[in-house]
């Protein structure tokens, strides 16, 4: 998201954005299991995990610190709403006031106090090539090296998002080389955090540049510890576009997060329901834009009015309290004592369809369909059909619910929704499925 002031995407960009539906048919090379950094948040087999191997699915909010540094309670307020991640806008000094190393340390401290993971991003790169005031990823890398002292030892708590929306719609093809160079520069400087890289085209990647080159960018990181961030606004106004884009990454074992999205926008009407449902179904993180302070005609993107945590907007209520929202799906990182340790004392992690893995495996699954029941909720037997999306378990529908194993026989009223194993299920091919 650029600082609100004008339209988000050019007319030419909007015309070409209509071609997005073609994206899903273009497949890239499969990336194997990562040689991950030895400590901290990292990538393993295409998933974001913590140092202990527990999968971490971001459920977060963006906070525009660089423009509102006086709002010192925002991170705590976001955490109190149930988010497990806060993406914090910083300035590199190239366009907006430089966020100092001491400020970065203080922000990390606020994240740790709130028990949220900090995704720190430089916003000065927004729309480079199209916006003349934007700076390069190379300059953003220089900023991170300059505040390295604040990052050292914080690998469990901090993800470095190199630069926000680093190319507009001009010369987006340069994104691949510039991103690889920035990653190399940071690793050579000894920055060990998990890195996050935003897509070009104002973050929306309607050209498919990030999608098509993600595998080679991931392989260029010697730590194999880079996460891809797509911003979903008007380009993603249908469920099919959302599903096609996210499935490409998940199916190719490439780590992806929806780093920004809203419930409406000046460039079109994003399908926030599909974004949240698909993210939940696939175990993909999402971070809503933004806590408060939007202007330039996009004030509707504020989650709360006037930074008041007790005054949720319509969008804020949807993100926090709606279906597949933060309150229902967020789990605190285990580094803070939340979540679950893999295989012991809890759920054993989270399956790709968003349901917890069964701790006791098939012993919790008397009918052998891959779905078990523990701690008063459904769980997935690791390696079963319910885990892989195939086999007797039926798999998972696009809305995040399991498919019915017995089809219409579980659906006496014919509405497409059935009931099996003490949970709702979707009849494949029904209205509830489509």
């Amino acid at each position: 998201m650029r600082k609100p002031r004008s339209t988000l995407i050019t007319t030419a960009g909007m015309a070409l954005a209509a071609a997005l539906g073609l994206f899903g048919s273009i497949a890239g090379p499969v990336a194997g299991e990562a040689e991950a950094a030895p400590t901290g948040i990292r990538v393993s087999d295409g998933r974001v995990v913590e140092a202990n191997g527990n999968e971490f699915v971001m459920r977060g909010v963006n906070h525009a610190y660089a423009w509102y540094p006086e709002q010192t309670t925002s991170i705590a307020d976001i955490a109190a709403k149930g988010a497990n991640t806060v993406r914090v806008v910083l300035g590199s000094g190239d366009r907006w006031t430089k966020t100092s190393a001491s400020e970065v340390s203080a922000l990390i401290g606020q994240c740790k106090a709130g028990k949220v993971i900090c995704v720190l991003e430089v916003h000065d790169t927004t729309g480079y090539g199209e916006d003349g005031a934007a700076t390069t990823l190379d300059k953003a890398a220089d900023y991170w090296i300059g505040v390295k002292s604040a990052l050292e030892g914080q690998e469990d708590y901090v993800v470095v998002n190199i630069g926000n929306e680093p190319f507009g719609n001009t010369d987006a093809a340069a994104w691949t080389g510039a991103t690889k160079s920035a990653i190399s520069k940071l690793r050579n400087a000894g920055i060990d955090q998990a890195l996050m890289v935003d897509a070009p085209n104002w973050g929306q990647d309607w050209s498919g540049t990030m999608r098509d080159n993600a595998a080679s960018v991931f392989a260029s990181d010697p730590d194999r510890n880079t996460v891809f961030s797509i911003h979903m606004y008007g380009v993603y106004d249908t469920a099919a576009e959302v599903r096609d884009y996210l499935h490409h990454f998940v199916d190719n074992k490439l780590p992806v997060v929806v780093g920004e999205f809203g419930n409406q926008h000046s460039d079109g009407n994003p399908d926030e329901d599909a974004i949240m449902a698909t993210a939940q179904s696939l175990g993909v993180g999402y971070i809503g834009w933004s806590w408060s302070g939007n202007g330039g005609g996009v004030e509707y993107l504020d989650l709360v009015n006037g930074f008041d945590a007790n005054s949720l907007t319509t969008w804020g209520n949807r993100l926090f309290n709606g279906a597949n929202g933060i309150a229902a799906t967020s789990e605190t990182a285990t580094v803070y004592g939340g979540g679950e340790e893999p295989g012991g004392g809890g759920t054993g992690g989270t399956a790709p369809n968003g349901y917890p893995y069964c701790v006791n495996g098939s012993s919790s699954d008397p009918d052998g369909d891959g779905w078990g029941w523990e701690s008063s909720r459904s769980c997935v037997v690791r390696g079963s059909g319910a885990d892989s999306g195939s086999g007797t378990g039926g798999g998972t529908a696009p809305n995040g619910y399991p498919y019915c194993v017995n089809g219409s026989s579980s659906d006496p009223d014919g509405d497409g929704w059935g009931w099996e194993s003490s949970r709702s299920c979707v009849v494949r091919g029904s209205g509830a499925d489509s």
Side-chain angles (χ1 to χ4, degrees):
M1 183 74 176
R2 69 172 87 180
K3 188 175 183 181
R5 58 183 179 83
S6 60
T7 56
L8 274 186
I9 191 167
T10 64
T11 303
M14 285 299 294
L16 287 168
L20 184 69
L22 299 175
F23 284 3
S25 64
I26 305 172
V30 174
E33 184 167 355
E35 294 296 327
T39 60
I41 297 170
R42 56 190 174 88
V43 174
S44 177
D45 199 28
R47 314 300 292 185
V48 178
V49 303
E50 296 184 71
N52 64 3
N54 192 80
E55 187 173 346
F56 181 70
V57 180
M58 295 182 187
R59 290 287 179 263
V61 169
N62 284 271
H63 168 49
Y65 171 82
W67 310 323
Y68 300 102
E70 73 280 5
Q71 298 295 336
T72 56
T73 67
S74 291
I75 290 176
D77 290 341
I78 292 167
K81 293 291 185 188
N84 65 18
T85 303
V86 179
R87 182 173 180 257
V88 186
V89 175
L90 308 182
S92 64
D94 296 287
R95 180 171 188 176
W96 287 293
T97 302
K98 183 177 180 179
T99 309
S100 68
S102 62
E103 287 178 281
V104 172
S105 291
L107 289 165
I108 295 171
Q110 290 175 31
C111 285
K112 292 166 76 172
K115 298 185 178 181
V116 294
I117 297 301
C118 250
V119 177
L120 302 176
E121 59 102 341
V122 163
H123 218 77
D124 303 52
T125 56
T126 307
Y128 176 75
E130 186 173 345
D131 189 330
T135 194
T136 64
L137 281 172
D138 186 65
K139 291 285 287 182
D142 288 339
Y143 168 80
W144 293 116
I145 293 168
V147 298
K148 179 184 172 185
S149 61
L151 302 173
E152 290 177 326
Q154 305 298 328
E155 291 81 10
D156 284 338
Y157 308 97
V158 174
V159 174
V160 171
N161 191 170
I162 303 176
N164 183 70
E165 301 177 1
F167 285 85
N169 296 319
T170 302
D171 199 22
W175 175 89
T176 303
T179 301
K180 289 179 178 179
S181 294
I183 291 170
S184 177
K185 192 170 192 175
L186 293 177
R187 294 305 188 210
N188 288 338
I191 290 179
D192 296 327
Q193 263 80 16
L195 302 177
M196 185 178 288
V197 294
D198 283 7
N201 306 124
W202 301 99
Q204 298 200 76
D205 201 29
W206 55 259
S207 64
T209 301
M210 184 172 81
R211 181 206 61 211
D212 294 346
N213 293 282
S216 68
V217 169
F218 185 82
S220 76
D221 180 357
D223 290 346
R224 304 297 194 270
N225 201 20
T226 296
V227 180
F228 298 92
S229 174
I230 181 67
H231 295 182
M232 290 187 163
Y233 292 107
V235 171
Y236 297 89
D237 58 357
T238 69
E241 289 164 335
V242 172
R243 289 196 298 265
D244 286 350
Y245 196 89
L246 295 180
H247 264 287
H248 172 85
F249 284 81
V250 173
D251 293 348
N252 287 284
K253 294 190 175 181
L254 291 163
V256 67
V257 60
V258 182
E260 290 184 19
F261 72 108
N263 66 333
Q264 54 181 308
H265 215 282
S266 54
D267 70 339
N269 184 17
D271 190 339
E272 71 279 5
D273 292 340
I275 292 168
M276 295 167 72
T278 305
Q280 179 64 14
S281 173
L282 296 177
V284 166
Y286 64 66
I287 309 174
W289 184 278
S290 69
W291 183 239
S292 199
N294 288 285
V298 294
E299 291 84 356
Y300 48 75
L301 287 172
D302 283 0
L303 295 165
V304 297
N305 294 299
F307 292 94
D308 181 355
N310 296 315
S311 182
L312 284 173
T313 64
T314 300
W315 168 220
N317 190 56
R318 172 68 188 92
L319 180 68
F320 285 107
N321 301 320
N324 301 298
I326 287 173
T329 65
S330 176
E331 292 189 9
T332 303
T334 60
V335 71
Y336 296 121
E340 302 291 352
E341 298 290 340
T347 64
T350 305
N353 60 18
Y355 284 82
Y357 281 121
C358 302
V359 174
N360 299 314
S362 57
S363 63
S364 300
D365 174 28
D367 58 358
D369 68 350
W371 288 92
W373 187 260
E374 292 177 348
S375 302
S376 301
R377 59 179 175 174
S378 295
C379 58
V380 173
V381 177
R382 193 180 296 271
S384 70
D387 187 10
S388 63
S390 62
T392 59
T396 304
N399 60 18
Y401 285 84
Y403 281 119
C404 301
V405 175
N406 298 315
S408 58
S409 63
S410 299
D411 175 27
D413 58 358
D415 67 351
W417 288 94
W419 185 259
E420 293 178 348
S421 303
S422 301
R423 67 187 186 277
S424 295
C425 58
V426 173
V427 177
R428 192 181 297 274
S430 69
D433 188 9
S434 61

